[in-house]
Each structure stands twice: as C-alpha cells, then as structure tokens.
Amino acid sequence: DAMVIQNPRYQVTQFGKPVTLSCSQTLNHNVMYWYQQKSSQAPKLLFHYYDKDFNNEADTPDNFQSRRPNTSFCFLDIRSPGLGDAAMYLCATSRDLVRTGSTDTQYFGPGTRLTVL
Amino acid sequence: DAKTTQPPSMDCAEGRAANLPCNHSTISGNEYVYWYRQIHSQGPQYIIHGLKNNETNEMASLIITEDRKSSTLILPHATLRDTAVYYCIVYEYNAGNMLTFGGGTRLMVKP
C-alpha cells in the first residue's frame, strides 16, 4: 500500500521553465519534508512543513518554493530550473517532528527524478 | 561538520551477516543513533535506532559500544535485496534540528 506517493517519477523540464513536483500521503502525518539528492550524494533537506507552518533550511535557494494546501498534499515549485537543479527530489513525512528516541521516523516516497535540458 | 564516519563501501556474501560500522566519537549524551538505508532509485527507509542499549527488530540489530563512540548495524543473513546505501545518523531533537544524512556505506551483497 503506497503511503507516500510522488508524481511523476520522472520529470523533464527546460532550463528556466517553472516546474512543480507533487507529493501526497495517506498517513495523515503532520510533517512533510522535501529533500534534494544529487547523484552519488546523500539527501539534503530543503524545507519542511509542520502542519501549515513552513520551515526553510538556511541554505535552500530562493528558486525553490513549497506549498501545502492540505494535510495530504505538498508541492515543490522550482521557479527557474538551472542545470544544477537536476536531481532526485524526495518527499518524506513523519507523524510529528522526529523527537529524540521516538518512533516517529520519516517515511519516504520513491522520489521524482528531475532532468533539466 | 560530519558527525558520523562510515566506510564508503563494503561487500558481503549472500546469506552471511553484514556488519556495518559507524564512528560517532563526538556524540553527546542525548543524541540517538539512527540507521536508514536507500535502495537504488528508492527513497530512504528507516531501519532501527538506539541510545545506549543494543536494539533488535525484524530488519536488523544495532550494537552500540559502551562509550557510545561507535556502533555497528548487523544484517544477520544478508540477501541480494539488502544491497543499498546505509546511512548512520546521530540525532537529538530540538527546535530547528533535523535528521542530516551523511556519506553512508554502499553495501553490495554478492551471490
């Protein structure tokens, strides 16, 4: 049973053309995260939503924005994709923020691989 | 600054135990050790976590040294489907703190 769903799995866009990646969850979790993972690198957190509260990582470029219209859906908007934005984009959820020692672990979707031409 | 050090890659024979080490010599008293893995073209998957005591679940065992400066993730009977990148993360919850993935170990299980 799919719990964190990302569509599409593969996305091709042109340099400078806005693109939106989507994520949905069936877990009713409060927190949703977006990560960027470039080839052979570890996932890097871009931002997260705790319910409706948006939290941006300090080094996330302004080119990346996010929307969470409701509990189930979260979108990643890349306003003007550059060649360096080609990567796997991972969405994750957790019931609450991952508190020390808790079982509130993160559940990841399969990712969307973005190609920028 | 990386909080954990892992070997970049390891091989393991199918059916044997895979022992993946992780050094976290600067771990603080309240930080837990978490392990995730990422199979090729999939999102990371939670495996196990612990503080001081050894932990076991249906996926793996986690052995943490008494001084907590290192740990070992054990897959008791590795299968080809365990081929993945394994991430060791030390983490303590506080406001603004998030799980941060390091380099990881690429485990290759061979027939």
Side-chain angles (χ1 to χ4, degrees), chain B residues 18-92:
Chain B
N19 298 288
L20 294 99
C22 180
N23 286 323
H24 31 79
S25 58
T26 60
I27 192 170
S28 69
N30 295 324
E31 285 181 313
Y32 276 63
V33 180
Y34 283 78
W35 284 83
Y36 280 73
R37 75 178 182 184
Q38 187 173 22
I39 295 171
H40 183 63
S41 295
Q42 297 183 22
Q45 175 191 26
Y46 165 81
I47 302 173
I48 199 167
H49 73 277
L51 180 64
K52 294 188 291 188
N53 299 324
N54 298 337
E55 302 288 344
T56 296
N57 62 21
E58 65 278 3
M59 290 183 70
S61 295
L62 175 60
I63 308 298
I64 302 174
T65 57
E66 194 168 340
D67 63 7
R68 303 210 320 123
K69 292 185 177 181
S70 65
S71 61
T72 301
L73 179 74
I74 301 172
L75 308 178
H77 305 286
T79 70
L80 299 179
R81 287 178 295 181
D82 292 321
T83 292
V85 178
Y86 286 77
Y87 294 101
C88 169
I89 304 167
V90 294
Y91 175 76
E92 175 187 5

Side-chain angles (χ1 to χ4, degrees), chain A residues 2 4-12 19-25 34 73-76 89-91 109-114:
Chain A
V4 182
I5 304 156
Q6 290 188 246
N7 284 310
R9 293 293 310 276
Y10 300 89
Q11 176 74 55
V12 180
V19 65
T20 295
L21 308 182
S22 72
C23 176
S24 63
Q25 54 134 336
W34 279 104
F73 285 87
C74 193
F75 300 99
L76 170 62
Y89 289 88
L90 295 160
C91 174
T112 294
R113 184 168 296 282
L114 178 69

